[in-house]
Amino acid sequence: MRLEYFQMVDKVLALDLEARTLRTANTVPDKSPIFEGHFPGHPLLPGVLLFEIMAQSCGMLLLRLHNYDRMAFLASVDKGKLRTFVVPGQVIEVFAEMVHDGSGYARLKAEGRVEGKLVCNAEVTLKTMPFPAPELRGYLLETAERIGMPMDAPAELGSAAPASAGNLTHV
């Protein structure tokens, strides 16, 4: 996780295109200027960044489901809950699940866990639209490669293809 660059997703753990789910691992860095002010002597990952981690995991799922043909922009976070503190060095696993995708918006559910314990959850709405710049699409494809996003099977929204056809991937 590179907090200062808003690069929150470190690694894809599992992708299921048929179920439209993604699981990511995101390691909170041991040191960051963010912790100097949040809070001296008691460093905590700001809650808003927990929401950002969930939103980015949802966005990565949506990008993959759209084969990187459309960009995802955060539109809203609803029913968000922060359940406990997250500190430097902890690994947050995020599970993202598509609920609805259509009319230029996607609705997803996400939850974050540390060592199996629920630390945050929310409903995330993302706006989808064509990429505003080709460099952005290239950057996100590079990010997908860096975090281990499986790209071997084309995503087909609404596909009934069985998991054995390459839809279920564990990294």
Side-chain angles (χ1 to χ4, degrees):
M1 193 180 296
R2 295 177 62 196
L3 298 177
E4 295 78 17
Y5 295 94
F6 262 61
Q7 295 174 350
M8 304 298 175
V9 178
D10 289 329
K11 182 177 182 182
V12 171
L13 298 175
L15 169 68
D16 187 330
L17 295 174
E18 183 178 349
R20 303 188 314 169
T21 61
L22 177 71
R23 197 163 48 93
T24 64
N26 315 282
T27 303
V28 180
D30 289 323
K31 297 195 181 296
S32 170
I34 288 172
F35 300 133
E36 293 171 17
H38 201 271
F39 296 100
H42 186 64
L44 299 175
L45 186 66
V48 70
L49 294 182
L50 287 169
F51 290 125
E52 182 67 22
I53 294 165
M54 289 187 289
Q56 284 191 22
S57 293
C58 289
M60 294 307 285
L61 173 59
L62 186 60
L63 285 165
R64 180 61 182 93
L65 289 171
H66 284 271
N67 292 313
Y68 292 83
D69 289 335
R70 297 182 61 76
M71 180 62 192
F73 293 94
L74 181 61
S76 73
V77 175
D78 298 313
K79 299 181 183 175
K81 293 196 169 127
L82 303 172
R83 299 174 179 279
T84 191
F85 298 130
V86 175
V87 300
Q90 290 185 314
V91 177
I92 305 162
E93 284 195 19
V94 173
F95 178 78
E97 179 180 25
M98 177 70 68
V99 174
H100 173 78
D101 186 12
S103 301
Y105 288 89
R107 186 99 171 140
L108 301 96
K109 288 184 179 180
E111 65 179 34
R113 295 182 177 271
V114 172
E115 297 178 358
K117 181 180 178 185
L118 186 65
V119 297
C120 57
N121 61 291
E123 293 179 6
V124 176
T125 300
L126 301 171
K127 178 175 179 50
T128 61
M129 58 188 291
F131 280 94
E135 298 86 0
L136 182 54
R137 182 176 187 272
Y139 169 79
L140 289 169
L141 285 168
E142 289 172 8
T143 299
E145 183 177 345
R146 177 179 50 81
I147 66 173
M149 177 67 78
M151 301 295 278
D152 52 348
E156 296 180 23
L157 296 177
S159 170
S164 61
N167 283 350
L168 181 64
T169 306
H170 292 280
V171 178

